[in-house]
Amino acid sequence: MKKMRSSSLFWAEEGFSTVGMVLALLISISLIFTAACVYEINSCSSRVQEVADAAALAAENTVGEFYLVAGISDAVILSLSLTTAGCLGLSVVCACVPPASGLSKTFLEMAQKTKKARDSFSESANESLGRLAQALPFIAAVKAQEVFSANSSLSDGAHYQGIVVLSPWEVEKGDSPSFHDSDEALSEVEQSRDCLEDVAEQAEEAAKRANEWKQYGYEHDSISPDAYCMYERAAKLAGMAGSDNPFFSSVDTWSFGASLERAKTYYRLRYQTEAPNGQSVDELSNSALRKRFYAYAQETVGQGYVHETESSFDAFFPRLPKNTDEMRSTILYTETVYPKTIDAQGLSVLHAWNGCPGLAQGSNGMGSIQEMDVAGSYAPCPYCKFVPSSMGKVAAASSSIQNGFEYHYNKVAKAADEYQKAREELDPLSQQAKDMAGGLLDSVGKAFVEACSQRIDITPPGHYGVISLVSDTGTAQTRFPSSLVSSEGVGGLGARVALSSATLVKESSDEGKNVVTSFLDGLSGEGSAAVGAAKLALQMWSGFLGVYTQGHDALLETIESVLNGIPLMGASGLGPWVSDALKDTIAGFGFAPVDLAARKAVLVNSQHVLKADDSAFSARLLSAKGAALMSQGNGGIDGALSCVQSAAMDAIADLGGEFTIATIVIFDGLVEVPVTVALPQAITGGLTQAVQQGVDSLRGIASSVTGMRQWE
């Protein structure tokens, strides 16, 4: 059977026909150009979103920059507040130290001047930052307009207009810094400084007298291992060594108590080791009387005491008789311990000791030197020759010349008495000065705490974020002109609208800290002509600038550094005490470094920003976005734009190309630095017109925003 052949205009068994091939090629080419046109349409449509994103980031970054400016101003106020408190503290310290009292008044004057500078700067900065914050939405708008203009200048036919709205729009301003405690401390120091200085001066004079007598006592106790003194005499006469007879190389390590203990040990050992130097009656008699004297000295000196604390001194150095008259006022005169006999004439005879040859016939009882001295019926012993002056002479020689232990002991005892008198005058004065200084330092401590708590409290517009609404009303020019695609392709795209949003996040980098630090470093005042207390005050202010970034450690280091430059040593010891008291006051509270992490703008879903803000604009725009996503038309965008338009034409009248926050002027003009912000040049130009055009453009195309368009 013959197979039937089929034929067609477009194909045959031999292959495609020419007409079919042409149509296939035309369809393929049309599809390629159509796909390219679709891509180009999508690309043109996406560019408006990119511009909206760029505008949002540029606008929100101005808010981040505001935080840096506010941080610098806050750091300056903190440093001036700390310097005021620090100068007051140093005024109190110097008032307690007469050698440095001249600095006290100067530091008080520095505190007064720094207070004025602080109040002036704080008031100016707080007001100016408030005005800058109010203008921040418009500064952000200028930044956005620059983005619109730069992208509109590209040769793709685009023309971008729109607005950016910071969320929230309004400034949130807390209470202005208040320095009640600092002012109170200043007033108290002004009122009490002169009195404190006078009391400290009296204490210093009393302390000098006390120290002179202490030095006098020390010199007779431990002046030298080889020179006559209690230490040397005890070693030579009693063989004392080691802990029984310590040597003190400095008066600062010596005390009256150490000298008294040396004397107690000395007389104990002298009593235990006393022995005659020969067997003659005179030597045996004298040895017996010396032993009697050492027994008395051991008991008497043993009753002595020294009670000494930092704030009191009470001592008793019992005196030993230096002659017969002084012996008569002691128990040596009245004690009945001497054997008595009756001689051939019937007169009583008193003997120096029991071994006297005059006692060969036995004793007739016991008597005292007083009996022998008062009664007229006593005769001297022909052997021991014991009379009242015999006992009086025992300590006479060693009490009258420098090679005697008693000579130096009596000198130390006199020094202790005079030292106690000086301390009785000094200690109440010293305590009075400490009480006065302590009270003033308590107030200064409150001023320090206040300085760390009274800060600039301004929350700028846009701290939640920024909303960017942008339209492209230009006519896009296709890069794929073709008769195969309708001419209504790209050119018929119409107006394009995009919504974007950005917010601030903190970065872990040190950029923010470095910006503040670099500014503060320029305020250190190094190389200035300041001298004396003014130089120390300037040094302190320079150090306190670092407290903002370094915290409490910088505070302590600065105070210690300045104190090291003040002569605090004095006889009264008030200098080291009040210096430590000031450092303890500062150490009693902590101050953590301020978080200076840089704030950078990042893109976020606009819903997060709008929900955080309860303003009318955010509420209406959030409603509009929700309606658009639900395919319910523009949902109130026109109302949202009206909210912006009604609030967008204020707050820039006082702004120019450079905006001065405040000027630092301290220490009689030694430091004078303005804190300024360079604003965009367009801030005083056509901003109002640009905002108006952006609102009109968006209002004109609001109806094109439908549920068919996805908002990011």
Side-chain angles (χ1 to χ4, degrees), residues 239-459:
M240 290 170 55
S243 60
D244 286 340
N245 194 32
F247 177 75
F248 298 91
S249 60
S250 168
V251 67
D252 295 328
T253 60
W254 176 81
S255 68
F256 283 102
S259 184
L260 182 61
E261 290 302 316
R262 194 193 311 277
K264 290 179 179 179
T265 303
Y266 172 81
Y267 287 113
R268 176 174 56 82
L269 291 177
R270 289 305 303 265
Y271 173 77
Q272 293 173 355
T273 60
E274 172 58 37
N277 295 323
Q279 294 302 313
S280 67
V281 174
D282 287 343
E283 178 56 31
L284 292 174
S285 175
N286 289 335
S287 177
L289 292 177
R290 288 197 300 268
K291 197 172 185 70
R292 182 71 242 151
F293 176 82
Y294 290 140
Y296 164 77
Q298 178 183 355
E299 180 181 358
T300 301
V301 174
Q303 297 173 2
Y305 59 84
V306 175
H307 303 310
E308 184 173 14
T309 67
E310 185 178 344
S311 58
S312 65
F313 181 85
D314 182 24
F316 172 54
F317 275 71
R319 296 297 203 279
L320 299 176
K322 300 188 294 295
N323 50 50
T324 302
D325 287 340
E326 291 184 4
M327 182 271 297
R328 288 189 175 98
S329 63
T330 69
I331 194 175
L332 292 172
Y333 186 62
T334 58
E335 60 184 354
T336 306
V337 294
Y338 301 100
K340 181 171 61 172
T341 60
I342 304 296
D343 65 5
Q345 288 76 32
L347 298 175
S348 297
V349 178
L350 211 59
H351 303 273
W353 90 109
N354 290 328
C356 177
L359 291 170
Q361 303 302 320
S363 172
N364 192 31
M366 307 295 284
S368 67
I369 298 175
Q370 182 182 31
E371 293 176 8
M372 181 174 57
D373 194 29
V374 174
S377 58
Y378 273 79
C381 172
Y383 299 98
C384 66
K385 302 179 181 60
F386 183 53
V387 293
S389 61
S390 299
M391 177 59 75
K393 293 178 180 179
V394 171
S398 61
S399 298
S400 303
I401 56 177
Q402 292 187 5
N403 65 351
F405 183 87
E406 285 74 21
Y407 174 86
H408 297 285
Y409 171 80
N410 288 331
K411 295 291 185 181
V412 173
K414 178 182 179 182
D417 287 346
E418 296 298 328
Y419 180 78
Q420 181 167 335
K421 293 177 183 177
R423 285 291 301 268
E424 287 173 352
E425 181 182 355
L426 165 64
D427 292 337
L429 290 170
S430 179
Q431 188 60 50
Q432 183 182 358
K434 288 180 179 180
D435 291 342
M436 294 177 65
L440 292 176
L441 289 180
D442 286 342
S443 297
V444 171
K446 294 178 182 179
F448 271 109
V449 173
E450 181 185 68
C452 294
S453 62
Q454 292 299 313
R455 316 296 294 281
I456 290 178
D457 185 13
I458 297 178
T459 304

Side-chain angles (χ1 to χ4, degrees), residues 363-578:
S363 172
N364 192 31
M366 307 295 284
S368 67
I369 298 175
Q370 182 182 31
E371 293 176 8
M372 181 174 57
D373 194 29
V374 174
S377 58
Y378 273 79
C381 172
Y383 299 98
C384 66
K385 302 179 181 60
F386 183 53
V387 293
S389 61
S390 299
M391 177 59 75
K393 293 178 180 179
V394 171
S398 61
S399 298
S400 303
I401 56 177
Q402 292 187 5
N403 65 351
F405 183 87
E406 285 74 21
Y407 174 86
H408 297 285
Y409 171 80
N410 288 331
K411 295 291 185 181
V412 173
K414 178 182 179 182
D417 287 346
E418 296 298 328
Y419 180 78
Q420 181 167 335
K421 293 177 183 177
R423 285 291 301 268
E424 287 173 352
E425 181 182 355
L426 165 64
D427 292 337
L429 290 170
S430 179
Q431 188 60 50
Q432 183 182 358
K434 288 180 179 180
D435 291 342
M436 294 177 65
L440 292 176
L441 289 180
D442 286 342
S443 297
V444 171
K446 294 178 182 179
F448 271 109
V449 173
E450 181 185 68
C452 294
S453 62
Q454 292 299 313
R455 316 296 294 281
I456 290 178
D457 185 13
I458 297 178
T459 304
H463 65 271
Y464 292 145
V466 64
I467 301 297
S468 172
L469 280 168
V470 182
S471 67
D472 180 4
T473 59
T475 302
Q477 301 298 321
T478 180
R479 292 182 178 83
F480 300 96
S482 172
S483 59
L484 299 175
V485 180
S486 171
S487 60
E488 298 180 358
V490 178
L493 194 60
R496 284 137 345 250
V497 178
L499 170 66
S500 184
S501 182
T503 193
L504 292 175
V505 296
K506 293 182 179 180
E507 285 191 335
S508 58
S509 69
D510 291 333
E511 179 182 349
K513 180 178 179 179
N514 292 339
V515 171
V516 175
T517 301
S518 62
F519 177 83
L520 299 181
D521 286 344
L523 300 180
S524 62
E526 295 180 359
S528 70
V531 295
K535 183 176 182 179
L536 290 173
L538 188 60
Q539 174 188 342
M540 183 167 56
W541 179 63
S542 177
F544 283 160
L545 286 168
V547 174
Y548 197 77
T549 56
Q550 301 170 39
H552 194 251
D553 290 343
L555 189 63
L556 286 174
E557 291 173 4
T558 299
I559 285 294
E560 290 180 355
S561 175
V562 175
L563 286 172
N564 289 336
I566 301 174
L568 296 176
M569 298 307 297
S572 67
L574 286 173
W577 176 86
V578 73

Side-chain angles (χ1 to χ4, degrees), residues 589-613:
F589 67 93
F591 176 72
V594 177
D595 184 3
L596 293 173
R599 290 172 169 85
K600 294 295 185 181
V602 296
L603 297 173
V604 294
N605 191 301
S606 58
Q607 186 173 9
H608 298 304
V609 176
L610 294 171
K611 280 188 174 181
D613 182 22

Side-chain angles (χ1 to χ4, degrees), residues 569-642:
M569 298 307 297
S572 67
L574 286 173
W577 176 86
V578 73
S579 173
D580 291 339
L582 176 60
K583 288 186 282 189
D584 290 342
T585 297
I586 296 173
F589 67 93
F591 176 72
V594 177
D595 184 3
L596 293 173
R599 290 172 169 85
K600 294 295 185 181
V602 296
L603 297 173
V604 294
N605 191 301
S606 58
Q607 186 173 9
H608 298 304
V609 176
L610 294 171
K611 280 188 174 181
D613 182 22
D614 58 0
S615 68
F617 169 79
S618 295
R620 287 175 180 257
L621 188 56
L622 183 62
S623 174
K625 179 177 178 179
L629 292 175
M630 296 299 294
S631 301
Q632 295 177 359
N634 65 57
I637 292 180
D638 184 70
L641 296 175
S642 297

Side-chain angles (χ1 to χ4, degrees), residues 47 98 121 152 181 193 200 212 223 270 340 396 433 491 663 666 682:
R47 277 199 292 272
F121 184 89
S152 296
D181 290 339
R193 191 198 66 83
E212 288 172 357
I223 186 61
R270 289 305 303 265
K340 181 171 61 172
T663 300
I666 57 174

Side-chain angles (χ1 to χ4, degrees), residues 45-125:
S45 299
S46 67
R47 277 199 292 272
V48 70
Q49 183 64 55
E50 294 171 357
V51 173
D53 293 344
L57 293 172
E60 187 65 5
N61 275 329
T62 63
V63 182
E65 293 167 359
F66 176 89
Y67 278 107
L68 282 179
V69 176
I72 290 172
S73 300
D74 195 30
V76 172
I77 293 175
L78 173 64
S79 68
L80 292 175
S81 299
L82 292 175
T83 303
T84 300
C87 285
L88 289 176
L90 293 176
S91 179
V92 174
V93 169
C94 292
C96 292
V97 188
S101 60
L103 297 175
S104 176
K105 186 175 182 180
T106 307
F107 274 123
L108 177 58
E109 292 172 351
M110 291 294 102
Q112 293 165 339
K113 293 174 182 179
T114 309
K115 171 200 176 305
K116 292 180 180 178
R118 176 204 66 196
D119 293 345
S120 175
F121 184 89
S122 175
E123 181 180 357
S124 178

